[in-house]
């Protein structure tokens, strides 16, 4: 009986760990990255437009496209606009002539941390 409970507990913990792999985000790092890279143009409450659009729900608005597209947008929006990406062109048409800064230095982990922070505030 005890052995069966231990096995079930082990399976549950293993499943919980497996579901969380790849989703671990450092929200403190995300907050710092947001403040240093995004906060000059995007509002802190993630709900209000500023120089750039409100970022709350940004991942939902990019849900029709692969995650890599959102990451590419964050790194170099103008390249995506020039390539004719539909979501990029839509945003450009809404916000032009405001040009988003490029953030080529941000790693995938950096962007994931920023997006995690945005979701936590929103």
């Amino acid at each position: 009986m005890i052995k069966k409970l231990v096995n079930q507990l082990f399976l549950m913990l293993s499943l919980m760990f497996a579901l969380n792999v790849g989703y671990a985000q450092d929200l403190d790092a995300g907050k710092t990255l947001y403040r240093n890279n995004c906060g000059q143009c995007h509002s802190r409450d993630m709900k209000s437009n500023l120089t750039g659009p409100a970022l709350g729900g940004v991942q939902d608005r990019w849900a029709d496209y692969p995650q890599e597209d959102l990451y590419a947008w964050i790194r170099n929006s103008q390249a995506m606009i020039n390539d004719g990406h539909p979501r990029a062109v839509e945003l450009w048409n809404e916000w032009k002539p405001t040009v988003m800064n490029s953030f080529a230095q941000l790693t995938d982990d950096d962007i994931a941390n920023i997006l995690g922070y945005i979701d936590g505030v929103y």
Side-chain angles (χ1 to χ4, degrees), residues 1-101:
M1 175 83 163
I2 292 176
K3 184 176 180 180
K4 184 177 180 180
L5 287 173
V6 170
N7 285 339
Q8 287 177 341
L9 180 62
F10 178 75
L11 285 173
M12 287 177 24
L13 290 172
S14 297
L15 179 60
M16 289 171 52
F17 176 76
L19 291 174
N20 285 319
V21 170
Y23 295 100
Q25 296 168 339
D26 183 340
L27 301 185
D28 288 333
K31 181 178 183 178
T32 299
L33 288 162
Y34 179 87
R35 286 183 175 176
N36 292 341
N37 295 283
C38 315
Q40 296 82 4
C41 297
H42 298 281
S43 68
R44 289 183 187 173
D45 69 6
M46 308 302 166
K47 297 173 186 154
S48 306
N49 292 332
L50 205 56
T51 302
L55 294 181
V58 68
Q59 293 183 87
D60 293 337
R61 293 191 298 275
W62 280 84
D64 291 341
Y65 305 98
Q67 182 181 40
E68 295 80 21
D69 289 8
L70 174 57
Y71 283 38
W73 168 261
I74 293 167
R75 286 191 181 107
N76 190 344
S77 62
Q78 290 300 300
M80 291 190 70
I81 294 164
N82 292 337
D83 288 345
H85 186 282
R87 181 72 181 133
V89 171
E90 178 184 358
L91 285 167
W92 174 245
N93 288 334
E94 185 177 346
W95 287 91
K96 66 183 172 187
T98 302
V99 175
M100 182 170 143
N101 294 337

Side-chain angles (χ1 to χ4, degrees), residues 101-112:
N101 294 337
S102 294
F103 299 100
Q105 77 281 4
L106 295 177
T107 67
D108 285 352
D109 286 342
D110 290 339
I111 294 171

